[in-house]
Amino acid sequence: EGLGFVQQLNHEFRMQLIRRTFLTSLVVIFSLHVHGTCKNDTLRYEILLNSSILKELEIDASFISAFDITANQLVLISSPNQYYLVGWGGLLPFGKPVSGEISSFAFTQDSILLTIRNNELCHFDSEGRLTLLYTLPDQGMSISSGDQVMYIYDSRGKKDTYSIYVVAKGGRYTKILEMPTPISSVIEGNNSILFASGSVLFDFEMESRELKAVAVLPAEKKIRSIAEDKAADRIYFSAGKEIYALKDNSAVLISDDLSGVLRFFRDGLMVFSPEENMLLRIVGLEEQITSTTRQSGATDIKKTVDLLTNSTVVDLVNNNLSDALIITLIRRARVDFLLTTDAVIDLSGKGVSPEVIMEMRQAMKRQTSESQNK
């Protein structure tokens, strides 16, 4: 029923676009030529939405930090109580105004739109009304799509712990992980999930329950959103006013004056900044990233290895990560700490707290005990 409703609205949207006189005026395309050339490595910015367009359409709305792509390749955005469809040629309200407050939404793999409204997980029925599926633990949670499941996570509020839940077809949600800081973005990898919490990008192995820090930024640079280009095996993430591209041991700053919610679609990175009413798509990034990496190397982003050691803990402390976040990582990672008297004195001198050092000791004991029990 929900899928049929979405298809009907997509059709109505296209019919209304045909009748609009500004069909070709919405998308402004311009090129930035790399090193003054017009080769295939040219960046292209496609602007789908900005303040001028909204003013022309007489739409005065404050959008939430979420967007998704419909089956018909239209972009879905939302205010707290109204969905909008963005296409190559216009923007129109999607369905009826919603009672309550939308905090997040995402399409399932079979194009069912799931919405988080207040503390409810909902879907649209055939008449365009939001219908309750589950009552969630907290208000204002966020949702993202996996291959066969959906992920719901705590992205706001003041709490002792922030959780990630997985929702399977026909089943209730199950908590899979807790963190001491809000979780800003979740995407699915191969047998793992990538997620951001604070200024750290994490990889959580679902089977082993092992947690790895993939990239660590200074504490003041909170990671906002993650996206993946599966074809190029590259991760993008936004933090502050910056967007980074990450692959293997190479981290490249691709923008220092643009940021927002990210999604990789076809061959381009889509960036949505609801604060600036800006939605755009960047094409040609891979060639530019490769060229930048060859010429100037990687951006200075601290990256941890799979195995936590004394030096990686010191790196985390130097990036001003909270003790709670470091302890959470130590509890779920593979470790190889040196904790002799001299090593502990050295750790203390480099700013590692007694609480973290105690957790390092406990982690080594747990790991030794697990090895002996195998």
Side-chain angles (χ1 to χ4, degrees):
E1 288 183 348
L3 176 58
F5 175 67
V6 171
Q7 290 173 334
Q8 176 188 350
L9 287 176
N10 282 337
H11 174 72
E12 292 176 359
F13 176 81
R14 291 180 181 277
M15 292 298 99
Q16 292 185 54
L17 285 187
I18 292 173
R19 294 192 291 268
R20 287 187 179 269
T21 58
F22 58 88
L23 180 61
T24 59
S25 66
L26 177 61
V27 181
V28 180
I29 301 179
F30 60 94
S31 296
L32 298 179
H33 302 311
V34 179
H35 310 304
T37 66
C38 295
K39 299 179 182 179
N40 291 333
D41 57 1
T42 300
L43 289 178
R44 187 172 78 252
Y45 289 68
E46 303 170 348
I47 303 196
L48 284 81
L49 185 68
N50 59 23
S51 295
S52 297
I53 294 167
L54 290 172
K55 184 177 180 180
E56 181 181 351
L57 297 173
E58 299 181 349
I59 293 177
D60 182 18
S62 297
F63 300 109
I64 67 172
S65 293
F67 77 103
D68 208 344
I69 312 297
T70 73
N72 288 353
Q73 300 179 6
L74 302 173
V75 180
L76 186 67
I77 61 176
S78 177
S79 71
N81 61 6
Q82 175 68 64
Y83 280 109
Y84 295 86
L85 280 171
V86 183
W88 301 101
L91 176 144
L92 290 174
F94 176 103
K96 303 172 184 177
V98 173
S99 61
E101 184 171 331
I102 300 170
S103 63
S104 186
F105 60 89
F107 283 102
T108 66
Q109 288 299 309
D110 50 359
S111 298
I112 302 298
L113 178 61
L114 296 184
T115 297
I116 294 181
R117 177 186 61 183
N118 300 334
N119 67 333
E120 300 173 337
L121 178 63
C122 305
H123 74 102
F124 279 103
D125 62 22
S126 59
E127 297 181 1
R129 297 172 302 193
L130 279 181
T131 302
L132 174 67
L133 288 174
Y134 304 125
T135 300
L136 301 176
D138 291 292
Q139 297 275 340
M141 302 182 76
S142 296
I143 186 169
S144 64
S145 175
D147 185 21
Q148 299 294 327
V149 299
M150 304 295 286
Y151 299 97
I152 296 175
Y153 50 97
D154 291 315
S155 56
R156 63 182 72 177
K158 293 184 178 181
K159 305 167 57 177
D160 293 332
T161 59
Y162 301 81
S163 303
I164 301 177
Y165 301 83
V166 62
V167 182
K169 287 184 178 180
R172 296 190 65 84
Y173 54 87
T174 303
K175 184 188 296 185
I176 58 174
L177 182 66
E178 285 186 345
M179 297 295 293
T181 51
I183 295 154
S184 55
S185 186
V186 176
I187 63 173
E188 189 176 73
N190 294 324
N191 301 316
S192 69
I193 59 171
L194 286 169
F195 70 94
S197 184
S199 60
V200 186
L201 178 61
F202 291 98
D203 182 16
F204 179 64
E205 293 284 344
M206 299 289 283
E207 187 172 331
S208 66
R209 315 290 289 178
E210 187 175 303
L211 187 65
K212 303 172 187 176
V214 178
V216 182
L217 276 67
E220 67 273 11
K221 292 186 177 181
K222 307 296 184 185
I223 299 176
R224 179 174 184 176
S225 183
I226 319 167
E228 182 181 17
D229 176 2
K230 293 184 181 295
D233 189 27
R234 190 176 294 282
I235 301 297
Y236 295 93
F237 62 92
S238 59
K241 277 289 184 180
E242 300 169 339
I243 299 177
Y244 296 89
L246 186 67
K247 182 177 181 180
D248 301 327
N249 292 318
S250 175
V252 179
L253 177 67
I254 63 174
S255 174
D256 61 1
D257 61 357
L258 174 68
S259 190
V261 185
L262 307 180
R263 179 174 293 275
F264 202 88
F265 177 62
R266 289 189 171 179
D267 59 344
L269 179 67
M270 302 192 71
V271 184
F272 177 45
S273 174
E275 300 84 4
E276 299 178 5
N277 292 327
M278 173 70 74
L279 173 64
L280 58 83
R281 180 167 169 260
I282 311 173
V283 182
L285 275 170
E286 189 60 32
E287 291 291 341
Q288 170 71 350
I289 292 167
T290 303
S291 174
T292 302
T293 303
R294 284 197 300 263
Q295 294 185 37
S296 59
T299 302
D300 184 22
I301 291 180
K302 301 288 186 183
K303 292 191 64 184
T304 66
V305 294
D306 292 348
L307 187 70
L308 282 185
T309 64
N310 289 31
S311 63
T312 53
V313 169
V314 171
D315 283 341
L316 297 175
V317 171
N318 288 340
N319 273 42
N320 296 316
L321 266 66
S322 67
D323 283 356
L325 198 57
I326 297 172
I327 288 171
T328 298
L329 184 59
I330 291 172
R331 286 177 178 173
R332 290 186 173 274
R334 291 191 303 114
V335 301
D336 186 19
F337 298 132
L338 178 63
L339 296 171
T340 62
T341 300
D342 288 343
V344 170
I345 292 173
D346 181 64
L347 287 168
S348 297
K350 291 178 178 177
V352 181
S353 70
E355 291 78 12
V356 170
I357 293 173
M358 177 67 71
E359 192 59 45
M360 294 167 70
R361 292 187 187 278
Q362 294 298 324
M364 288 299 293
K365 291 180 180 178
R366 285 194 300 269
Q367 192 162 278
T368 300
S369 176
E370 289 170 1
S371 298
Q372 292 174 346
N373 291 334
K374 287 184 178 178

